[in-house]
Amino acid sequence: KAFAWFADLPETRQRVVVEMVFNLGLTRFCGFGQTIDAIKAKDYHRAAAQMLASRWAKQVGRRAERLAQAMRG
């Protein structure tokens, strides 16, 4: 219910969200408010930019770059 927008995402972007939730945990993923807002708005380039601007991206390095690229499409 919290992610009603998830079902409307293309499969590749669903996988990005699932991988982030798996890596971060649901609580921390929910802290990515700007990223989530961009995804809900279907602004995938802004979502990717927000992902890469996070501390998480610095911690996971190439994984974040790969996921951001997938989010962009």
Side-chain angles (χ1 to χ4, degrees):
K1 291 181 180 181
F3 298 119
W5 47 267
F6 181 83
D8 294 332
L9 291 177
E11 184 179 342
T12 300
R13 292 178 176 118
Q14 285 183 348
R15 289 182 187 165
V16 171
V17 171
V18 168
E19 189 164 337
M20 288 183 72
V21 170
F22 180 79
N23 182 250
L24 291 160
L26 185 57
T27 302
R28 285 194 180 123
F29 177 75
C30 288
F32 279 68
Q34 292 181 31
T35 301
I36 293 169
D37 289 343
I39 294 169
K40 290 188 324 191
K42 297 184 179 0
D43 187 347
Y44 302 121
H45 286 272
R46 183 168 54 102
Q50 291 297 324
M51 290 164 60
L52 292 175
S54 70
R55 182 174 54 180
W56 163 81
K58 292 172 184 61
Q59 292 171 342
V60 300
R62 286 190 171 180
R63 180 186 305 156
E65 292 171 18
R66 180 178 53 80
L67 291 175
Q69 182 62 37
M71 181 59 73
R72 281 186 208 101

